[in-house]
Amino acid sequence: MSAEAAGEALGVPPAGEPARRPRRYDPDRRERLVATALDVIAEHGVAGATHRAIAAAADVPLGSTTYHFSSLDELLAAAFTVHAERVAGALEGWMRDVPDQRAALDALARHLADDLLGNERALVLAVELYLAAARRPALRAVTQDWMLRSRRALELHFDPVTARELDALVEGLVLHQFLSTDPMTPEQVRHALFRITR
Amino acid sequence: MSAEAAGEALGVPPAGEPARRPRRYDPDRRERLVATALDVIAEHGVAGATHRAIAAAADVPLGSTTYHFSSLDELLAAAFTVHAERVAGALEGWMRDVPDQRAALDALARHLADDLLGNERALVLAVELYLAAARRPALRAVTQDWMLRSRRALELHFDPVTARELDALVEGLVLHQFLSTDPMTPEQVRHALFRITR
DNA sequence: AGACGATGTGTACGCTTGTCCACGTGATAC
DNA sequence: GTATCACGTGGACAAGCGTACACATCGTCT
């Protein structure tokens, strides 16, 4: 029995041809690529979010990324859109489920402590988006929409001026948390929120 | 007269050898590279701040950048250090020159309006630094020091808790200005600052 | 004055990148 | 049942990258 015949019998191609992976049925690969892109950005930054890195993390061949997205920018935009949508939706949820301003502040403080400040991944993604948006018009629209939705959500319980100041304060708290080695405690965050509204 | 002889007479090398630029006397090229690096970062981002881009902007040969800085990271760190030093120094100056808390708030509002919010370049450099610091330990130290100096400067006129909240609010206001198409007016900024301190 | 080392200059190398292409293959529409 | 085309797969390509290097030149120190 020749080596080749043995190889073929096992479905293993001869040594010269390096093995072609069998075709997979993978109907929502596109969505998976978007989700994986977010993972890669969170871990390695936009700078490290290359076609190859994303394809490897999603376990698809390189060509697949350019098949589903006409450019890398388009893939990144899709990813950031998903992220912004998710975070904006969370804040809207909190604000909708709460009866009055007092409860809104409580909810906001809890939301910050639980979903944002403790969540390194969300922090990184937010800052990555901010910076990426500075130079890519397509992403500008994403941040604009996100900011608008956040402010609208806050305006369910606060007047527009307060909502805007609160929004900016939250942004600053998040960013400081991101940068600081000496993060604020949930109580300090609470204190700041209550202080600017009264 | 041969073409070669004519060329040599004019100091122009023969067509085959593409002209070597005469050596320049350029004693503070190193500082100029740092300043130029900041320009390039402001215009094209850290991602666009390559050896070649910086060398071209500073009008020096490529090899000169690797002679003066052992790596690109070292050059970027030097550049960001200069920027942070400059901005921190400005705030310290404002806070030192002012007698009481009321005047400090006024100065802070003016500083924001004049030196930060209207200054796209400073805004971009700050955010670029924040993000770059997230992944480069050497830059973490730069942002840490900057934040610490800012807070110390504010503590000349505010108690530590207020100073910290004020610092975060300023950060948020700056970032929102950076992202928003609908920026806050100086009066709105003033209002927010005064509100969180009372 | 002469040497020498710091600095200026141009270029080469190996690597990674985004994008494109040629070619299978099987789910789906008729 | 068959044709079609959307999708999967692997590899090629030119461009740009950080870095290293060989060599030129001129302040400076003795």
mmCIF file with all atom_site columns, all heavy atoms in Angstrom, chain B residues 129-141:
data_model
loop_
_atom_site.group_PDB
_atom_site.id
_atom_site.type_symbol
_atom_site.label_atom_id
_atom_site.label_alt_id
_atom_site.label_comp_id
_atom_site.label_asym_id
_atom_site.label_entity_id
_atom_site.label_seq_id
_atom_site.pdbx_PDB_ins_code
_atom_site.Cartn_x
_atom_site.Cartn_y
_atom_site.Cartn_z
_atom_site.occupancy
_atom_site.B_iso_or_equiv
_atom_site.pdbx_formal_charge
_atom_site.auth_seq_id
_atom_site.auth_comp_id
_atom_site.auth_asym_id
_atom_site.auth_atom_id
_atom_site.pdbx_PDB_model_num
ATOM 1   N N   . LEU B 1 129 ? -3.674 60.660 23.292 1.00 0.00 ? 129 LEU B N   1
ATOM 2   C CA  . LEU B 1 129 ? -2.841 60.222 24.417 1.00 0.00 ? 129 LEU B CA  1
ATOM 3   C C   . LEU B 1 129 ? -3.593 59.247 25.309 1.00 0.00 ? 129 LEU B C   1
ATOM 4   O O   . LEU B 1 129 ? -3.049 58.210 25.715 1.00 0.00 ? 129 LEU B O   1
ATOM 5   C CB  . LEU B 1 129 ? -2.368 61.429 25.229 1.00 0.00 ? 129 LEU B CB  1
ATOM 6   C CG  . LEU B 1 129 ? -1.653 61.100 26.549 1.00 0.00 ? 129 LEU B CG  1
ATOM 7   C CD1 . LEU B 1 129 ? -0.464 60.162 26.329 1.00 0.00 ? 129 LEU B CD1 1
ATOM 8   C CD2 . LEU B 1 129 ? -1.193 62.358 27.255 1.00 0.00 ? 129 LEU B CD2 1
ATOM 9   N N   . TYR B 1 130 ? -4.834 59.567 25.624 1.00 0.00 ? 130 TYR B N   1
ATOM 10  C CA  . TYR B 1 130 ? -5.610 58.690 26.498 1.00 0.00 ? 130 TYR B CA  1
ATOM 11  C C   . TYR B 1 130 ? -5.615 57.270 25.960 1.00 0.00 ? 130 TYR B C   1
ATOM 12  O O   . TYR B 1 130 ? -5.378 56.300 26.684 1.00 0.00 ? 130 TYR B O   1
ATOM 13  C CB  . TYR B 1 130 ? -7.060 59.168 26.617 1.00 0.00 ? 130 TYR B CB  1
ATOM 14  C CG  . TYR B 1 130 ? -7.209 60.517 27.261 1.00 0.00 ? 130 TYR B CG  1
ATOM 15  C CD1 . TYR B 1 130 ? -8.355 61.282 27.059 1.00 0.00 ? 130 TYR B CD1 1
ATOM 16  C CD2 . TYR B 1 130 ? -6.214 61.042 28.076 1.00 0.00 ? 130 TYR B CD2 1
ATOM 17  C CE1 . TYR B 1 130 ? -8.497 62.524 27.652 1.00 0.00 ? 130 TYR B CE1 1
ATOM 18  C CE2 . TYR B 1 130 ? -6.353 62.280 28.659 1.00 0.00 ? 130 TYR B CE2 1
ATOM 19  C CZ  . TYR B 1 130 ? -7.493 63.019 28.442 1.00 0.00 ? 130 TYR B CZ  1
ATOM 20  O OH  . TYR B 1 130 ? -7.635 64.240 29.016 1.00 0.00 ? 130 TYR B OH  1
ATOM 21  N N   . LEU B 1 131 ? -5.891 57.173 24.685 1.00 0.00 ? 131 LEU B N   1
ATOM 22  C CA  . LEU B 1 131 ? -6.027 55.842 24.102 1.00 0.00 ? 131 LEU B CA  1
ATOM 23  C C   . LEU B 1 131 ? -4.676 55.155 23.974 1.00 0.00 ? 131 LEU B C   1
ATOM 24  O O   . LEU B 1 131 ? -4.541 53.964 24.289 1.00 0.00 ? 131 LEU B O   1
ATOM 25  C CB  . LEU B 1 131 ? -6.709 55.938 22.742 1.00 0.00 ? 131 LEU B CB  1
ATOM 26  C CG  . LEU B 1 131 ? -7.114 54.599 22.172 1.00 0.00 ? 131 LEU B CG  1
ATOM 27  C CD1 . LEU B 1 131 ? -7.920 53.810 23.189 1.00 0.00 ? 131 LEU B CD1 1
ATOM 28  C CD2 . LEU B 1 131 ? -7.928 54.796 20.906 1.00 0.00 ? 131 LEU B CD2 1
ATOM 29  N N   . ALA B 1 132 ? -3.685 55.910 23.537 1.00 0.00 ? 132 ALA B N   1
ATOM 30  C CA  . ALA B 1 132 ? -2.350 55.314 23.407 1.00 0.00 ? 132 ALA B CA  1
ATOM 31  C C   . ALA B 1 132 ? -1.862 54.817 24.754 1.00 0.00 ? 132 ALA B C   1
ATOM 32  O O   . ALA B 1 132 ? -1.221 53.767 24.855 1.00 0.00 ? 132 ALA B O   1
ATOM 33  C CB  . ALA B 1 132 ? -1.371 56.342 22.828 1.00 0.00 ? 132 ALA B CB  1
ATOM 34  N N   . ALA B 1 133 ? -2.215 55.561 25.806 1.00 0.00 ? 133 ALA B N   1
ATOM 35  C CA  . ALA B 1 133 ? -1.770 55.188 27.150 1.00 0.00 ? 133 ALA B CA  1
ATOM 36  C C   . ALA B 1 133 ? -2.393 53.872 27.592 1.00 0.00 ? 133 ALA B C   1
ATOM 37  O O   . ALA B 1 133 ? -1.830 53.150 28.422 1.00 0.00 ? 133 ALA B O   1
ATOM 38  C CB  . ALA B 1 133 ? -2.097 56.293 28.148 1.00 0.00 ? 133 ALA B CB  1
ATOM 39  N N   . ALA B 1 134 ? -3.548 53.565 27.044 1.00 0.00 ? 134 ALA B N   1
ATOM 40  C CA  . ALA B 1 134 ? -4.234 52.349 27.460 1.00 0.00 ? 134 ALA B CA  1
ATOM 41  C C   . ALA B 1 134 ? -3.403 51.113 27.164 1.00 0.00 ? 134 ALA B C   1
ATOM 42  O O   . ALA B 1 134 ? -3.523 50.107 27.850 1.00 0.00 ? 134 ALA B O   1
ATOM 43  C CB  . ALA B 1 134 ? -5.586 52.248 26.759 1.00 0.00 ? 134 ALA B CB  1
ATOM 44  N N   . ARG B 1 135 ? -2.561 51.199 26.160 1.00 0.00 ? 135 ARG B N   1
ATOM 45  C CA  . ARG B 1 135 ? -1.832 50.006 25.740 1.00 0.00 ? 135 ARG B CA  1
ATOM 46  C C   . ARG B 1 135 ? -0.320 50.138 25.842 1.00 0.00 ? 135 ARG B C   1
ATOM 47  O O   . ARG B 1 135 ? 0.390  49.195 25.565 1.00 0.00 ? 135 ARG B O   1
ATOM 48  C CB  . ARG B 1 135 ? -2.212 49.643 24.311 1.00 0.00 ? 135 ARG B CB  1
ATOM 49  C CG  . ARG B 1 135 ? -3.715 49.497 24.167 1.00 0.00 ? 135 ARG B CG  1
ATOM 50  C CD  . ARG B 1 135 ? -4.140 48.910 22.876 1.00 0.00 ? 135 ARG B CD  1
ATOM 51  N NE  . ARG B 1 135 ? -5.582 49.042 22.724 1.00 0.00 ? 135 ARG B NE  1
ATOM 52  C CZ  . ARG B 1 135 ? -6.457 48.218 23.276 1.00 0.00 ? 135 ARG B CZ  1
ATOM 53  N NH1 . ARG B 1 135 ? -6.049 47.210 23.981 1.00 0.00 ? 135 ARG B NH1 1
ATOM 54  N NH2 . ARG B 1 135 ? -7.758 48.434 23.114 1.00 0.00 ? 135 ARG B NH2 1
ATOM 55  N N   . ARG B 1 136 ? 0.176  51.326 26.203 1.00 0.00 ? 136 ARG B N   1
ATOM 56  C CA  . ARG B 1 136 ? 1.629  51.480 26.317 1.00 0.00 ? 136 ARG B CA  1
ATOM 57  C C   . ARG B 1 136 ? 1.978  51.962 27.714 1.00 0.00 ? 136 ARG B C   1
ATOM 58  O O   . ARG B 1 136 ? 1.746  53.118 28.067 1.00 0.00 ? 136 ARG B O   1
ATOM 59  C CB  . ARG B 1 136 ? 2.131  52.497 25.301 1.00 0.00 ? 136 ARG B CB  1
ATOM 60  C CG  . ARG B 1 136 ? 1.642  52.151 23.906 1.00 0.00 ? 136 ARG B CG  1
ATOM 61  C CD  . ARG B 1 136 ? 2.228  53.046 22.835 1.00 0.00 ? 136 ARG B CD  1
ATOM 62  N NE  . ARG B 1 136 ? 1.357  53.041 21.669 1.00 0.00 ? 136 ARG B NE  1
ATOM 63  C CZ  . ARG B 1 136 ? 1.782  53.208 20.428 1.00 0.00 ? 136 ARG B CZ  1
ATOM 64  N NH1 . ARG B 1 136 ? 3.048  53.420 20.195 1.00 0.00 ? 136 ARG B NH1 1
ATOM 65  N NH2 . ARG B 1 136 ? 0.923  53.187 19.429 1.00 0.00 ? 136 ARG B NH2 1
ATOM 66  N N   . PRO B 1 137 ? 2.563  51.088 28.494 1.00 0.00 ? 137 PRO B N   1
ATOM 67  C CA  . PRO B 1 137 ? 2.884  51.402 29.889 1.00 0.00 ? 137 PRO B CA  1
ATOM 68  C C   . PRO B 1 137 ? 3.647  52.712 30.038 1.00 0.00 ? 137 PRO B C   1
ATOM 69  O O   . PRO B 1 137 ? 3.383  53.479 30.979 1.00 0.00 ? 137 PRO B O   1
ATOM 70  C CB  . PRO B 1 137 ? 3.753  50.215 30.315 1.00 0.00 ? 137 PRO B CB  1
ATOM 71  C CG  . PRO B 1 137 ? 3.354  49.104 29.418 1.00 0.00 ? 137 PRO B CG  1
ATOM 72  C CD  . PRO B 1 137 ? 2.981  49.724 28.116 1.00 0.00 ? 137 PRO B CD  1
ATOM 73  N N   . ALA B 1 138 ? 4.569  52.997 29.136 1.00 0.00 ? 138 ALA B N   1
ATOM 74  C CA  . ALA B 1 138 ? 5.359  54.221 29.258 1.00 0.00 ? 138 ALA B CA  1
ATOM 75  C C   . ALA B 1 138 ? 4.453  55.447 29.229 1.00 0.00 ? 138 ALA B C   1
ATOM 76  O O   . ALA B 1 138 ? 4.704  56.443 29.910 1.00 0.00 ? 138 ALA B O   1
ATOM 77  C CB  . ALA B 1 138 ? 6.387  54.299 28.134 1.00 0.00 ? 138 ALA B CB  1
ATOM 78  N N   . LEU B 1 139 ? 3.370  55.382 28.458 1.00 0.00 ? 139 LEU B N   1
ATOM 79  C CA  . LEU B 1 139 ? 2.470  56.525 28.367 1.00 0.00 ? 139 LEU B CA  1
ATOM 80  C C   . LEU B 1 139 ? 1.502  56.577 29.545 1.00 0.00 ? 139 LEU B C   1
ATOM 81  O O   . LEU B 1 139 ? 1.000  57.651 29.892 1.00 0.00 ? 139 LEU B O   1
ATOM 82  C CB  . LEU B 1 139 ? 1.701  56.476 27.045 1.00 0.00 ? 139 LEU B CB  1
ATOM 83  C CG  . LEU B 1 139 ? 2.584  56.703 25.814 1.00 0.00 ? 139 LEU B CG  1
ATOM 84  C CD1 . LEU B 1 139 ? 1.754  56.677 24.545 1.00 0.00 ? 139 LEU B CD1 1
ATOM 85  C CD2 . LEU B 1 139 ? 3.310  58.029 25.927 1.00 0.00 ? 139 LEU B CD2 1
ATOM 86  N N   . ARG B 1 140 ? 1.245  55.425 30.148 1.00 0.00 ? 140 ARG B N   1
ATOM 87  C CA  . ARG B 1 140 ? 0.419  55.433 31.360 1.00 0.00 ? 140 ARG B CA  1
ATOM 88  C C   . ARG B 1 140 ? 0.993  56.410 32.369 1.00 0.00 ? 140 ARG B C   1
ATOM 89  O O   . ARG B 1 140 ? 0.287  57.206 32.976 1.00 0.00 ? 140 ARG B O   1
ATOM 90  C CB  . ARG B 1 140 ? 0.385  54.030 31.996 1.00 0.00 ? 140 ARG B CB  1
ATOM 91  C CG  . ARG B 1 140 ? -0.618 53.076 31.363 1.00 0.00 ? 140 ARG B CG  1
ATOM 92  C CD  . ARG B 1 140 ? -1.998 53.627 31.406 1.00 0.00 ? 140 ARG B CD  1
ATOM 93  N NE  . ARG B 1 140 ? -2.724 53.318 32.625 1.00 0.00 ? 140 ARG B NE  1
ATOM 94  C CZ  . ARG B 1 140 ? -3.847 52.627 32.661 1.00 0.00 ? 140 ARG B CZ  1
ATOM 95  N NH1 . ARG B 1 140 ? -4.360 52.158 31.542 1.00 0.00 ? 140 ARG B NH1 1
ATOM 96  N NH2 . ARG B 1 140 ? -4.474 52.428 33.786 1.00 0.00 ? 140 ARG B NH2 1
ATOM 97  N N   . ALA B 1 141 ? 2.305  56.358 32.552 1.00 0.00 ? 141 ALA B N   1
ATOM 98  C CA  . ALA B 1 141 ? 2.955  57.241 33.520 1.00 0.00 ? 141 ALA B CA  1
ATOM 99  C C   . ALA B 1 141 ? 2.708  58.709 33.159 1.00 0.00 ? 141 ALA B C   1
ATOM 100 O O   . ALA B 1 141 ? 2.488  59.542 34.038 1.00 0.00 ? 141 ALA B O   1
ATOM 101 C CB  . ALA B 1 141 ? 4.453  56.943 33.560 1.00 0.00 ? 141 ALA B CB  1
#
